[in-house]
Amino acid sequence: MASTVIRERRRTLRYRNLLVRQMVQMKNKISGLLMEAGVSYNKQRLHRAGYFRELLATNSDIDEGLCSLLRLCRETVVRLQKTESAMVLSLERDSLLMDRVERLMTIPAVGPITALTWALEIGEGAALLVDQKSRQLLWPVWGRAKFGEPRAAHAIIEAAQQTFADDADRSSKDGAALQPGAGHAV
C-alpha cells in the first residue's frame, strides 16, 4: 500500500480527472442548448472566450433565458478550468514528485498529466515491467502501432521502460544507503 502522502496526491489527481469530466459535460451542455435552439455556430471556436461572447451578443436566435443559461455554463467551464490548472500546477511543483515528473517528461509523447499519472499510480519503476496497471497505462501508446506508427510506439515504450528501470535503480540504491550500517565501516 502506498504511503499516506502518495495517497493524498493520488486523490488530488483523481479529483482533477473528475473536474475534467465535468468540464466536458458543461461544454456538451452548451453545444446541446445551442443546437436545441437552432443556433448555428463554429464548433472549433465555440469554447473560446471571444467567440462565445460574440455569439451571445450578435445572434438573434438566442433569447434572454437561453443567454443566461449559456453564460452560467460558460462561467462554470472557466471556473473548472482554473481549478484544474491550479491542481496540476501544484502537483507538478510538489517537491516529492518534481524530479520524477521531469524525468518522465523526457520520454517522447509524455506530457505532464501522463507523467503525474505514472509517478503516482504505478509506484516504483520496476513495477512498469510486470505490473498490469502499467500495461493499461501504456495501452494508448501500443494503439499507435496499429495505426502506422509501430516504430514510434516501440521507441516510446522502450524509453518509458528505461526511465522506470532507472528510477527503480535509484530507489534501490537510496534504500540501501539509508539502511543502518550500509556503506560504513564499523
Side-chain angles (χ1 to χ4, degrees), residues 85-146:
S85 295
M87 292 177 91
V88 170
L89 194 59
S90 73
L91 286 171
E92 284 181 317
R93 291 182 177 172
D94 190 305
S95 60
L96 181 70
L97 301 171
M98 193 173 356
D99 292 337
R100 190 146 185 228
V101 168
E102 286 175 5
R103 279 195 312 273
L104 287 168
M105 286 179 58
T106 63
I107 300 169
V110 173
I113 303 303
T114 302
L116 284 167
T117 302
W118 286 357
L120 290 170
E121 299 290 349
I122 291 177
E124 293 305 322
L128 179 68
L129 304 175
V130 295
D131 186 66
Q132 177 67 30
K133 184 171 206 100
S134 58
R135 277 187 245 134
Q136 290 171 346
L137 290 170
L138 285 171
W139 190 251
V141 177
W142 280 113
R144 289 183 177 194
K146 293 179 183 176

